[in-house]
Amino acid sequence: MSIVINDRCRGCGKCMDVCPGSLIKKNEEGKAFMKYPRDCWGCASCIKECNFGAIEFFLGADIGGSGSRMTVALDGEIMHWNIRMGDGTVKTIDVNRADANKY
């Protein structure tokens, strides 16, 4: 599983709109969930669209994360990538939204 949807979900549906695998659905309360999390591609599109920090991207040891989780918060054109490390510390990486998807 690449993502975890936490209880901060407000049911806006933006994550559902951008998921390329159409894996994110709404439950009976209108909150987002993923029925088959093993099918997640880990593209992080949903994380960048969530304005509530409700989706956490699991940074596994294979990419140097050692179990860390990342959420994204928007502040105008700046995205704050907040990484909660396994030891509880938080690191923030600020990214200009316009540059976030450049290759």
Side-chain angles (χ1 to χ4, degrees):
M1 171 169 55
S2 297
I3 69 163
V4 173
I5 302 172
N6 63 40
D7 59 359
R8 288 185 225 134
C9 178
R10 302 280 166 78
C12 70
K14 288 183 179 181
C15 58
M16 293 174 22
D17 294 340
V18 298
C19 179
S22 300
L23 300 173
I24 302 173
K25 309 292 182 194
K26 282 191 180 183
N27 63 19
E28 47 282 342
E29 292 96 36
K31 307 284 181 146
F33 80 101
M34 189 177 291
K35 187 171 182 178
Y36 301 107
R38 289 182 295 173
D39 292 343
C40 177
W41 304 351
C43 72
S45 294
C46 58
I47 297 156
K48 292 187 272 184
E49 289 300 316
C50 182
N51 294 327
F52 308 106
I55 303 175
E56 298 175 299
F57 184 66
F58 181 74
L59 302 173
D62 58 327
I63 59 172
S66 298
S68 302
R69 292 182 180 197
M70 180 184 79
T71 58
V72 175
L74 294 175
D75 182 14
E77 288 299 310
I78 303 299
M79 293 189 324
H80 304 287
W81 294 11
N82 301 306
I83 303 167
R84 186 170 31 106
M85 308 299 284
D87 64 4
T89 60
V90 176
K91 293 183 180 182
T92 300
I93 301 169
D94 295 330
V95 178
N96 184 315
R97 189 175 172 96
D99 295 334
N101 290 321
K102 289 186 177 179
Y103 293 84

